């Protein structure tokens, strides 16, 4: 192959294609601020800036609430007891996996399945009283109140039929009725980022951002009500948490690999930032890079082509094992040539470094939107497997903050907040229960 690139030349090409420099970050922050402003005013924007009808918790909310947490490959049902003083305990939790078939079913089959899981949970934990419930539904939803909202579009590979454009609380409520469940009342509809923010805030009042860096990505923050000029209705507080839906941000550079991934995805043209950052897509980007490497005769192992032939078969979790040189869980890669392992490791590093730098810059944009001079402390509650498990991911995010803000970056604390999407739904249900909207 005359035009084939040598390994280091290829890696340089990849580094260039995926570079996200300080200058890119600064430009991104500016664009982010513009789009946030447009979104809040109801003008055309790639940031939806969705009102959540929720304010930050005080930490003194009490009671026992149920929660459904739906938004990724697993759904969970939980019972949470809130003790006040920032303390809570999970008194029951059950995880149910959502396979490819169920997430592309019809609306009725899908919601009936969810209710079956809830019934299963109630039986197992002998919960037979009447409960108020929070429903975490981690997709872009336009809410008209804290307990109702219309799905704008599915993301993360979900494609349940006849749900887009409908009120998901109404659909869940109908399924509860169909199945004869009378003991549950859905009083709050919550995005996972809002739940994560609420959970951390319950114990740390300095928390003013909730972020998910997992299968999908998104963030929320408390906004001054007077800035949310697109909302004309009544709201009883001077602040409201906004679900940014930042996965849709479209002012980022895309390379050939991003474009290919987008073209072949279920939602071409949408969720551009999510496709560059989140766990659902990183493995697939890496696979596309490997396939290009193959065209350049880069690899020594003959079977590489077969190993990387199926779309989405290579995941962010696989990348994280590669980053750790842990081939025990990657038997199909174990026996490839050492040089090939090295190249794939470099590819993984380059792609996830870009992801962490973009994620960090997006957080920087939201924090500086709230506090331009970074004078107050900001705790950022973050959940999701990338942040929690990917080796070096958090450190790359932190070093990006230092690059951007120097000393002042000390005021930004990136903290892991486990299970916020489920517990947060219970906390928000408690807020609603004690002060009906
Ligand atoms: C959804 C968001 C969600 C995020 C993280 C995105 O695909 O649009 O609503 O918060 O994933 O789960």
């Amino acid at each position: 192959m005359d035009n084939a690139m040598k390994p280091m030349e290829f890696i340089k090409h990849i580094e260039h294609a995926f570079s996200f420099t300080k200058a890119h970050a600064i430009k991104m922050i500016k664009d982010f601020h513009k789009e946030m402003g447009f979104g809040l005013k109801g003008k055309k924007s790639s940031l939806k800036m969705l009102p959540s009808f929720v304010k930050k918790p005080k930490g003194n909310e009490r009671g026992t609430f149920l929660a459904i947490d739906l938004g990724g490959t697993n759904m969970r049902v939980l019972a949470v007891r809130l003790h006040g003083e920032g303390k809570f305990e999970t008194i029951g939790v059950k995880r149910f996996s959502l396979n490819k078939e169920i997430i592309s079913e019809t609306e009725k089959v899908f919601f009936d399945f969810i209710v079956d899981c809830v019934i299963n949970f109630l039986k197992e934990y002998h919960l037979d009283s009447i409960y108020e419930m929070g429903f975490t539904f981690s997709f872009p939803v336009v809410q008209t109140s804290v307990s109702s909202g219309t799905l704008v579009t599915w993301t993360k590979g979900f494609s349940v039929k006849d749900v887009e454009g409908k009120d998901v609380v109404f659909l869940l409520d109908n399924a509860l009725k169909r199945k004869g469940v009378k003991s549950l009342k859905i009083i709050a509809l919550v995005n996972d980022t809002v739940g994560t923010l609420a959970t951390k805030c319950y114990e740390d009042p300095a928390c003013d951002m909730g972020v998910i860096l997992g299968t999908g990505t998104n963030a929320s923050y408390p906004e001054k009500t007077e800035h949310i000029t697109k909302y004309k209705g009544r709201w009883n507080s001077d602040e409201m948490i906004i679900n940014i839906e930042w996965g849709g941000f479209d002012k980022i550079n895309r390379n050939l690999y991003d474009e290919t991934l987008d073209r072949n995805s279920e939602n071409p043209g949408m969720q551009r930032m999510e496709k560059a950052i989140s766990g659902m897509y990183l493995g697939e980007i890496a696979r596309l890079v490997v396939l290009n490497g193959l065209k350049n005769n880069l690899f020594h192992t003959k079977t590489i082509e077969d190993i990387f032939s199926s779309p989405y078969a290579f995941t962010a979790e696989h990348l994280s094992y590669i980053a750790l040189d842990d081939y025990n869980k990657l038997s199909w890669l174990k026996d490839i040539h050492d040089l090939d392992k090295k190249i794939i490791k470099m590819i993984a590093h380059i792609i996830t470094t870009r992801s962490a730098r973009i994620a960090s810059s997006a957080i920087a944009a939201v924090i500086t939107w709230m506090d331009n001079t970074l004078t107050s402390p900001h705790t950022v509650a973050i959940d999701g497997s990338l942040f929690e498990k990917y080796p070096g991911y958090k450190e790359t995010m932190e070093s990006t903050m230092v690059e951007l803000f120097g000393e002042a970056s000390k005021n930004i604390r990136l903290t892991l907040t486990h299970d916020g999407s489920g517990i947060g739904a219970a906390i928000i249900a408690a807020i609603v229960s004690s002060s009906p909207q």
Side-chain angles (χ1 to χ4, degrees), residues 128 141 149 201 237 263 289 292 304 349 425:
D128 39 24
V141 164
C201 213
S237 167
R263 228 185 359 262
V289 174
N292 194 21
I304 290 265
H349 177 73

Side-chain angles (χ1 to χ4, degrees), residues 138-140 155-156 191-193 212 216-218 245 271 274:
S138 306
F139 300 93
T155 57
K156 297 177 282 197
N191 183 262
D192 50 357
T193 61
I212 301 290
T217 185
N218 187 16
E245 284 297 331
Q271 298 296 96
E274 180 158 273

Side-chain angles (χ1 to χ4, degrees), residues 53-105:
F53 299 89
V54 172
K55 51 192 169 190
K56 293 204 309 182
K58 293 195 170 70
N60 59 3
E61 293 76 7
R62 286 167 204 274
T64 301
F65 296 88
L66 253 59
I68 295 178
D69 177 11
L70 171 69
T73 40
N74 289 306
M75 84 159 233
R76 291 180 314 156
V77 188
L78 305 85
V80 180
R81 190 165 293 145
L82 305 171
H83 296 292
E85 289 153 18
K87 298 206 167 43
F88 57 79
E89 88 191 278
T90 305
I91 52 176
V93 58
K94 209 161 175 198
R95 195 177 285 269
F96 302 88
S97 87
L98 297 175
N99 58 32
K100 265 210 159 335
E101 284 69 48
I102 197 78
I103 65 172
S104 44
E105 264 295 351

Side-chain angles (χ1 to χ4, degrees), residues 287 290-291 303-310 314 332-333 344:
R287 190 186 75 90
V290 169
L291 290 185
T303 50
I304 290 265
E305 187 153 13
D306 307 331
I307 294 175
F308 289 92
S309 62
S310 319
F314 192 52
W332 39 281
L333 271 186
I344 295 174

Side-chain angles (χ1 to χ4, degrees), residues 24-35 249 365:
H24 287 130
I26 291 169
K27 159 127 192 359
M28 175 177 162
I29 292 171
K30 265 198 192 138
D31 289 338
F32 221 85
H33 286 173
K34 266 194 209 151
E35 296 281 287
F249 183 65

Side-chain angles (χ1 to χ4, degrees), residues 191-250:
N191 183 262
D192 50 357
T193 61
V194 179
T196 301
L197 167 52
T199 303
K200 186 74 196 167
C201 213
Y202 192 66
E203 45 141 10
D204 173 3
C207 176
D208 54 8
M209 245 193 113
V211 176
I212 301 290
L213 289 165
T215 309
T217 185
N218 187 16
S220 67
Y221 73 103
E223 180 58 271
K224 293 198 180 73
T225 308
E226 61 189 21
H227 291 168
I228 316 170
T229 51
K230 69 176 166 188
Y231 179 63
K232 308 276 186 249
R234 274 183 42 228
W235 173 243
N236 60 7
S237 167
D238 56 4
E239 69 168 36
M240 189 197 287
I241 299 175
I242 291 287
N243 164 16
I244 303 175
E245 284 297 331
W246 78 15
F249 183 65
D250 65 359

Side-chain angles (χ1 to χ4, degrees), residues 296-363:
N296 282 279
N297 273 345
L298 208 69
F299 298 108
H300 301 76
T301 315
K302 289 242 158 33
T303 50
I304 290 265
E305 187 153 13
D306 307 331
I307 294 175
F308 289 92
S309 62
S310 319
Y312 290 90
F314 192 52
T315 65
E317 194 180 348
H318 296 146
L319 291 181
S320 71
Y321 295 134
I322 287 172
L324 292 168
D325 291 316
D326 176 1
Y327 284 86
N328 291 330
K329 296 207 179 75
L330 300 171
S331 50
W332 39 281
L333 271 186
K334 206 173 182 161
D335 299 323
I336 67 169
H337 198 287
D338 277 351
L339 282 174
D340 294 347
K341 283 186 184 157
K342 257 195 183 153
I343 293 174
I344 295 174
K345 188 173 175 177
M346 281 192 248
I347 295 172
H349 177 73
I350 292 166
I351 292 169
T352 44
T353 301
R354 180 183 72 161
S355 157
R357 286 177 68 82
I358 297 178
S360 195
S361 307
I363 292 175

